[in-house]
Amino acid sequence: MKFSEEFEQRFAEMVRQYPTKRSALVPTLLYAQDEIGFLSDEVIAEIAVRLDLTELEVRNVISYYSMLTTQPRGKFNVQVCTNISCMVRGGEEILEHCSKNLGIGHKGTTPDGLFSLEEVECIGACSWAPAAQVNYDFHENLTPDKIDRVLEAYRKSGKQ
Ligand code: FES
């Protein structure tokens, strides 16, 4: 398993900084996912060895965090929150609207590989509900029109 030089530098730095190797697990998974696109069996096995963990321990952590995935996703992963604050302010309508706009449902990926869609629990943006996260960017106080504009901007940037 070969990662980039940048990944190796970050990994070496994290292992130096954290008191135990295990503490570097989540950031290591995120960096690996950013680089490879998803956490394949090969990536999981490699990270488990590097951090002195079992593959099961690594998989248990992956299954806990919605931002980590063992399946390939679209270039832009649209995560719409429908938890309580977002729900009372129209989060479910935003999810439905995204589903119509993209033509895919929960955990679906568009045929061109550009978008994935996911319904998620609270993403910590309750004060600005309803909210969604696309990769690492937050979009808040959403309306159907606003999410259409957001998706269109990603669509354009993804085709460049
Ligand atoms: S409930 Fe949606 S961001 Fe917290």
Side-chain angles (χ1 to χ4, degrees), residues 77-150:
N77 187 40
V78 181
Q79 297 185 305
V80 181
C81 175
T82 55
N83 219 179
I84 190 71
S85 300
C86 290
M87 185 186 74
V88 297
R89 291 184 45 87
E92 287 176 342
E93 289 77 16
I94 297 297
L95 177 66
E96 202 179 307
H97 196 79
C98 286
S99 180
K100 273 195 196 128
N101 181 311
L102 299 173
I104 51 174
H106 174 61
K107 299 267 185 196
T109 300
T110 55
D112 61 3
L114 212 50
F115 290 99
S116 293
L117 179 64
E118 241 184 314
E119 177 179 14
V120 294
E121 299 296 323
C122 183
I123 54 173
C126 317
S127 299
W128 304 278
Q133 187 175 352
V134 182
N135 297 351
Y136 291 113
D137 296 328
F138 282 80
H139 300 280
E140 297 144 347
N141 295 309
L142 291 171
T143 62
D145 282 351
K146 190 170 176 183
I147 194 68
D148 278 346
R149 290 195 298 276
V150 166

Side-chain angles (χ1 to χ4, degrees), residues 10-83:
R10 284 172 160 170
F11 181 73
E13 180 77 20
M14 284 190 297
V15 170
R16 252 198 319 275
Q17 283 180 347
Y18 285 114
T20 61
K21 275 186 170 183
R22 181 189 199 101
S23 305
L25 178 57
V26 172
T28 300
L29 289 170
L30 281 169
Y31 287 135
Q33 181 172 280
D34 284 349
E35 190 159 311
I36 310 292
F38 69 106
L39 299 165
S40 65
D41 292 346
E42 196 185 7
V43 169
I44 291 168
E46 173 72 22
I47 290 175
V49 167
R50 286 182 184 221
L51 298 178
D52 297 331
L53 296 167
T54 65
E55 288 185 35
L56 182 61
E57 287 172 312
V58 175
R59 287 183 191 278
N60 284 342
V61 169
I62 293 169
S63 68
Y64 181 78
Y65 291 102
S66 62
M67 75 274 199
L68 297 172
T69 182
T70 57
Q71 302 298 319
R73 284 176 174 161
K75 183 172 182 176
F76 302 114
N77 187 40
V78 181
Q79 297 185 305
V80 181
C81 175
T82 55
N83 219 179

